[in-house]
Amino acid sequence: MRNVDPVLSNKLNSQYQTKANNAQPKMSVAIARARNTVSDSSYWVVETIRQKTGLGDVSVAPRRQKVTGPPNRIYEIHVNDGVVGTSIREYPDKFKDGWVDQFDVGAGSSVAIAFDGEWERYRNLWRLVAHEKPWIFWVDNTGVLWAQLWDDTGTKQQLATGVVYCRAIRAWKNLNMADKDQGIVVGYIKSDGKVYYRNYCQLLDLSYTWEPERQVAEFTGTALSLNLFITNDYRMGFVVEDSFNDIYWYITDRNWAGMAIAAESVTVAPAELKVELIPIDYIGAYTQETISAVPAELGVTLLYADTDNDFMALNAPKTMLDEFNEPYDDWGWFIDLTIDHPIPSLTLANVTVTNLDNSTVIQMTSIEKVDDLNYRLHVSDVVESGLNNVYGDIQVDITGAINPAGYTYINMTHTFTPINLIPTFIPLPEVEVIFNE
């Protein structure tokens, strides 16, 4: 505790505590809540993880597993004397164990870490409820970028080559539209100074996969460092420092549809039916009659009646057997449709699929309804390879579809680039005869 100032002490010891003798003491009291988060609204918590020579890149991620609670553990990945290692710290650190080393993954130069999880709304704000273990990323001494789910070596996979620097973040996921998931984004700089990224996100069939490598084409300089961020208005962004020490930042479109406003509900109170039977006096009647009334079941149905609608399309894998009877995924036989608003009866007569490369119609054999908003198109086997020999984009048109209220939707069109196709190998022609005239 602090000692009382001598001037204030004299005032407190005065016989009369009045303004007249300048002995009316005053004091201010500051009250702060107990620290239960990594950073408070009034101060930052600064903590030394380790201190020695030979330290390199480092990345830290907190784990929160309850939407109403603080983080319960902090995970970390670092470079120490050219070796990539990991450690954890309990939060709060009740037993004062500090940072506890976990495992090494090998030689490396740049590291990153990010938790996957589920976005949940709490007090009108979205919070990420993390999964049990984070994803870690590192660049080895040959420039290969690796990804692994913490200590599960069975998930280790190569993401890119020629990499010199990496960073990662869990970006926004739209809970109302399955295909609008930015996923875990891994941004990295290659030896050519260009910026690239890959996403681990949800597909239309609700499965998760690492999407192909993409370049941040808007950045045209030579990158030296990189960081990632998310904004409160549902965007994700890149911050890039170039060789002239200029800082550039690039942000995505808002991934907010249906997220910014809490979900609404419509409640219909049960209707009341009252039947009153009034006695009737009959003169000369042989018997007294009785009237019974059974109230009919009442209900209210709210039907979507707008004619505006839209949809997304993407090819999906089909499990096949190879010549050795081993299963594999063939992406040339299914096209999945995810529609914004229900179409009670969608048939092949409403759907046209076109190969934009040669303007030919791709034949479908059937359409399968998965649920009210999801359909699967089955590609005809008239062409043995299905979609595998398609070059360029595919266009899907939906026309004449009827909404739940019986009105016709405005015609819809979506164009997509099919992924994971394997073109059929066509052998070169063999020479049958050579002659000279």
Side-chain angles (χ1 to χ4, degrees):
M1 297 179 61
R2 297 174 57 185
N3 295 325
V4 178
D5 183 87
V7 177
L8 179 58
S9 179
N10 291 334
K11 292 181 180 182
L12 292 172
N13 293 329
S14 178
Q15 183 177 2
Y16 300 104
Q17 306 291 319
T18 65
K19 292 183 179 180
N21 63 353
N22 195 26
Q24 186 179 25
K26 296 181 180 179
M27 66 176 64
S28 62
V29 179
I31 301 175
R33 62 184 177 181
R35 186 175 71 194
N36 63 357
T37 56
V38 175
S39 62
D40 207 306
S41 61
S42 59
Y43 58 87
W44 291 92
V45 178
V46 179
E47 178 175 318
T48 300
I49 300 177
R50 61 182 55 82
Q51 188 172 4
K52 63 179 292 293
T53 59
L55 294 178
D57 201 8
V58 64
S59 186
V60 179
R63 180 185 71 182
R64 174 169 50 202
Q65 294 186 291
K66 293 183 178 180
V67 70
T68 59
N72 60 2
R73 179 181 287 177
I74 304 175
Y75 286 72
E76 180 258 8
I77 185 171
H78 62 273
V79 178
N80 182 8
D81 291 329
V83 177
V84 178
T86 59
S87 65
I88 61 172
R89 176 195 182 283
E90 300 299 331
Y91 197 90
D93 190 4
K94 297 178 181 179
F95 298 104
K96 306 300 180 183
D97 293 330
W99 290 90
V100 180
D101 290 336
Q102 297 299 296
F103 58 92
D104 296 338
V105 296
S109 57
S110 184
V111 295
I113 187 171
F115 272 98
D116 200 358
E118 308 301 328
W119 288 100
E120 295 186 19
R121 184 185 290 275
Y122 177 66
R123 294 182 177 176
N124 293 324
L125 296 175
W126 289 99
R127 293 185 175 185
L128 181 66
V129 178
H131 292 169
E132 181 181 1
K133 297 180 180 181
W135 281 91
I136 57 174
F137 310 92
W138 71 95
V139 179
D140 67 16
N141 287 345
T142 64
V144 176
L145 174 61
W146 296 96
Q148 181 174 297
L149 184 59
W150 194 236
D151 56 353
D152 185 358
T153 56
T155 62
K156 180 180 177 181
Q157 56 187 299
Q158 176 180 314
L159 297 185
T161 58
V163 180
V164 296
Y165 192 87
C166 67
R167 283 294 179 264
I169 196 171
R170 208 310 167 194
W172 288 104
K173 176 180 180 180
N174 191 305
L175 301 186
N176 300 300
M177 302 179 185
D179 61 311
K180 296 187 181 299
D181 179 17
Q182 295 174 340
I184 293 180
V185 182
V186 185
Y188 46 94
I189 302 172
K190 288 195 174 185
S191 55
D192 60 2
K194 304 302 181 184
V195 178
Y196 301 82
Y197 67 94
R198 291 189 66 176
N199 310 64
Y200 180 72
C201 53
Q202 188 179 53
L203 302 179
L204 284 171
D205 62 358
L206 305 184
S207 64
Y208 286 81
T209 188
W210 283 100
E211 292 197 341
E213 177 182 87
R214 294 180 174 88
Q215 181 183 352
V216 182
E218 292 78 5
F219 176 75
T220 58
T222 301
L224 293 182
S225 64
L226 164 74
N227 213 341
L228 310 178
F229 65 92
I230 60 175
T231 68
N232 286 338
D233 64 344
Y234 313 99
R235 306 172 191 263
M236 177 265 163
F238 295 78
V239 177
V240 185
E241 180 184 7
D242 68 5
S243 55
F244 298 101
N245 300 119
D246 293 329
I247 305 295
Y248 297 85
W249 63 298
Y250 308 89
I251 61 174
T252 65
D253 293 333
R254 298 176 67 196
N255 189 18
W256 67 277
M259 297 273 288
I261 302 175
E264 298 179 355
S265 61
V266 177
T267 302
V268 179
E272 295 183 358
L273 177 64
K274 182 178 181 181
V275 177
E276 184 176 356
L277 302 178
I278 301 175
I280 300 176
D281 294 332
Y282 290 90
I283 298 176
Y286 292 100
T287 59
Q288 185 174 353
E289 298 179 354
T290 302
I291 299 176
S292 298
V294 179
E297 182 178 353
L298 301 179
V300 176
T301 302
L302 301 178
L303 301 176
Y304 184 80
D306 199 342
T307 57
D308 285 333
N309 203 350
D310 203 355
F311 71 99
M312 297 287 292
L314 190 65
N315 60 315
K318 177 181 180 181
T319 301
M320 309 280 281
L321 296 177
D322 62 15
E323 57 183 329
F324 303 106
N325 208 31
E326 294 292 332
Y328 71 97
D329 287 339
D330 190 328
W331 293 71
W333 299 102
F334 293 148
I335 297 178
D336 285 348
L337 309 180
T338 298
I339 303 171
D340 289 355
H341 304 292
I343 301 176
S345 179
L346 183 65
T347 67
L348 285 181
N350 305 116
V351 182
T352 303
V353 182
T354 306
N355 180 357
L356 296 182
D357 182 57
N358 53 20
S359 300
T360 60
V361 174
I362 301 173
Q363 297 299 323
M364 301 290 126
T365 58
S366 62
I367 182 170
E368 173 188 353
K369 182 177 181 180
V370 180
D371 54 41
D372 288 342
L373 299 178
N374 291 278
Y375 288 84
R376 168 163 288 183
L377 295 174
H378 293 250
V379 181
S380 172
D381 59 1
V382 172
V383 179
E384 294 183 358
S385 58
L387 303 176
N388 282 293
N389 288 328
V390 171
Y391 291 91
D393 293 339
I394 292 177
Q395 177 176 305
V396 181
D397 295 284
I398 298 180
T399 59
I402 307 299
N403 67 20
Y407 300 101
T408 303
Y409 281 119
I410 297 173
N411 293 344
M412 296 166 272
T413 297
H414 180 77
T415 300
F416 71 96
T417 302
I419 61 175
N420 298 329
L421 298 181
I422 301 178
T424 303
F425 174 74
I426 301 176
L428 295 175
E430 296 181 1
V431 177
E432 292 185 355
V433 63
I434 300 177
F435 61 92
N436 186 16
E437 293 184 352

